[in-house]
Amino acid sequence: MTQRVELATVMDRLAVDGLITDYAVAVDDGDWEGYRGLFTPDGRADYRSAGGIAGDAGNVAAWLAESMRLFPMRQHLIVNRRVRFGLLEQDTGDTAEVRADYVNPMRFAKEDGGSAAPDFVCGGRYAFRMLRTDDGWRLREVVVQEKWRRLPDGPTAPVID
């Protein structure tokens, strides 16, 4: 592998990592327009394992905007990112798949609009499928596989499919 190829791979890894960070920040900050902009035009998300919906990025963003009102404080911690670059039309590196674990603490809203304890915490694994576009790397698909959650005043419970 030449230095040029190695540098390009490092740059792609940084861009992919940045896209995942942008995804987490958009969800945590409630930036639903920004969320939509992270996806390809045909991009989809699937939150069914966490009690949500699956659909195109626009419909999922609308669902998130409504459902996340329950949690004014959110903080995605996305770790253990495993990146694999693929092939599209014989061009090396035009697609990427990332598997990453997450822990997501959230705080319930109070009736007065603030946030209140106790926290709701869940964890699991994301599967991101990405595509290199003229505008940079974009999400084609996000699939959430929730593995556990801790509810207020309750034990940690595994999620059973």
Side-chain angles (χ1 to χ4, degrees), residues 43-154:
R44 301 184 54 77
D46 182 346
Y47 292 87
R48 290 178 294 182
S49 78
I53 67 168
D56 66 72
N59 286 336
V60 171
W63 172 79
L64 283 168
E66 185 62 31
S67 62
M68 290 295 110
R69 289 181 190 191
L70 293 173
F71 308 104
M73 191 287 300
R74 303 179 288 273
Q75 184 178 34
H76 279 76
L77 306 172
I78 303 177
V79 299
N80 301 336
R81 300 172 191 200
R82 288 166 294 178
V83 180
R84 302 285 184 263
F85 291 104
L87 299 174
L88 179 67
E89 298 175 8
Q90 306 307 313
D91 292 328
T92 301
D94 284 336
T95 63
E97 292 188 4
V98 179
R99 299 286 188 262
D101 296 328
Y102 71 89
V103 175
N104 181 207
M106 298 182 283
R107 180 151 287 179
F108 285 106
K110 291 194 308 190
E111 289 183 21
D112 66 7
S115 63
D119 291 333
F120 171 95
V121 183
C122 59
R125 180 163 292 156
Y126 277 111
F128 297 98
R129 289 183 50 231
M130 301 174 187
L131 178 69
R132 183 195 316 271
T133 72
D134 291 339
D135 296 320
W137 287 95
R138 294 292 182 264
L139 298 167
R140 287 189 89 174
E141 182 179 53
V142 174
V143 177
V144 174
Q145 182 59 51
E146 186 176 280
K147 294 183 176 186
W148 63 270
R149 65 176 55 171
R150 185 184 73 216
L151 301 172
D153 298 323

Side-chain angles (χ1 to χ4, degrees), residues 17-55:
D17 187 69
L19 181 58
I20 292 170
T21 299
D22 289 345
Y23 165 86
V25 170
V27 173
D28 291 344
D29 290 352
D31 179 3
W32 308 119
E33 191 61 35
Y35 176 93
R36 288 180 194 91
L38 299 172
F39 286 81
T40 60
D42 63 343
R44 301 184 54 77
D46 182 346
Y47 292 87
R48 290 178 294 182
S49 78
I53 67 168

